[in-house]
Amino acid sequence: MKNRELITRFKNNIIVSCQAQEGEPLHVPGYMTRMALAAKQAGAVGIRAESPADIKAIKEEIGLPVIGLWKVVTPGVDVYITPTLEAAEAIYQAGADIIAIDATFRKNSEGKWAWELIQEIKDKMDVLVMADISTYEEGMNAEKMGADLVSTTLSGYTSYSPQIKGPDYELIESLARDLKIPLMAEGKIRRPEMAKKALELGAYGVIVGGAITRPLEIATEYVDILEGFRNEKKA
């Protein structure tokens, strides 16, 4: 299996997610490659990147292992993180070392479950698969169905998972305890101490994105907090 040994680099380390969504100021060719370079210089051991174009550019210029995904939105369908085999093949050809897919209990745009897609990817490509999940049951099922890693990416982003502001530490702890494959803590990790706590709870490694690479999101958080302060002063 391609690059299975690279997973050992992730242990007790950070992977930085370098993504910019459509409509954000940094959603411009080349910007995420610069973000990835900054992450590498800081000591990150891997990059999570979105779209074939960004994956290819980052892989060629930065040289770190890349967890690739492609967000393909289909009206009326909740699954959009690498939802199809076609999307997976595109990011594989772009150079992704690991393909991240939505592995929740929701069907994709083709009416298939995540475990069907995992098998299709394994049959056609020599690549590792990371399952982005939102609940304990989804994480355990992903391991059973052949995923190489599990990530808590989608906790709070499905209607049936806990809607909390910070990381889902309970999910991290329970999956880290029961999975036999590596668990990556991801989602709402906004401060270094949060990442440290995830590792203390047993996570294999951590993935941090918005708190590092999305200035619009970071600035908005400050603005919202200070607006709340101003409102309190007026009361």
Side-chain angles (χ1 to χ4, degrees):
M1 174 61 68
K2 178 183 178 183
N3 289 332
R4 183 172 294 278
E5 68 277 5
L6 71 79
I7 296 177
T8 61
R9 302 185 195 182
F10 300 165
K11 189 169 179 61
N12 294 328
N13 269 311
I14 183 171
I15 292 168
V16 175
S17 181
C18 298
Q19 301 181 52
Q21 305 307 308
E22 188 171 351
E24 293 182 2
L26 298 189
H27 188 67
V28 179
Y31 271 69
M32 289 303 104
T33 305
R34 298 292 93 192
M35 284 287 190
L37 178 58
K40 179 180 181 179
Q41 291 179 349
V45 299
I47 303 295
R48 178 171 164 124
E50 193 270 333
S51 84
D54 276 354
I55 291 165
K56 186 175 188 296
I58 289 170
K59 186 65 181 178
E60 290 177 350
E61 186 165 341
I62 308 305
L64 289 177
V66 172
I67 298 172
L69 63 143
W70 194 3
K71 293 180 178 177
V72 182
V73 176
T74 302
V77 179
D78 292 326
V79 173
Y80 60 88
I81 296 177
T82 323
T84 63
L85 181 62
E86 181 181 11
E89 288 179 318
I91 57 177
Y92 174 68
Q93 294 300 325
D97 301 285
I98 299 171
I99 293 176
I101 71 165
D102 181 315
T104 61
F105 290 152
R106 303 177 297 182
K107 289 185 177 181
N108 67 14
S109 57
E110 298 176 341
K112 295 179 179 179
W113 298 105
W115 45 92
E116 297 179 78
L117 180 57
I118 291 174
Q119 190 57 57
E120 289 178 339
I121 292 172
K122 296 283 188 176
D123 287 345
K124 295 206 169 188
M125 290 164 260
D126 182 23
V127 69
L128 304 176
V129 176
M130 185 169 80
D132 289 349
I133 56 84
S134 68
T135 67
Y136 174 86
E137 292 77 16
E138 289 170 348
M140 297 305 295
N141 183 69
E143 177 182 61
K144 180 180 177 183
M145 297 303 170
D148 300 287
L149 306 91
V150 167
S151 178
T152 57
T153 316
L154 293 172
S155 177
Y157 297 98
T158 58
S159 60
Y160 50 84
S161 58
Q163 307 297 303
I164 55 180
K165 290 185 177 180
D168 191 341
Y169 291 125
E170 183 177 344
L171 178 62
I172 292 168
E173 184 175 27
S174 60
L175 283 175
R177 179 190 64 229
D178 295 342
L179 286 172
K180 295 181 177 62
I181 59 176
L183 174 76
M184 303 301 294
E186 181 177 13
K188 305 176 184 178
I189 299 175
R190 297 187 176 93
R191 299 293 306 156
E193 55 268 25
M194 292 179 173
K196 182 173 180 285
K197 181 174 180 178
L199 295 179
E200 290 171 342
L201 292 174
Y204 193 82
V206 295
I207 301 173
V208 180
I212 298 174
T213 61
R214 298 181 70 182
L216 176 60
E217 184 176 297
I218 297 166
T220 299
E221 187 172 1
Y222 277 91
V223 169
D224 289 347
I225 288 174
L226 294 184
E227 183 179 7
F229 172 76
R230 292 195 300 274
N231 291 335
E232 289 174 4
K233 296 291 285 186
K234 291 177 181 177

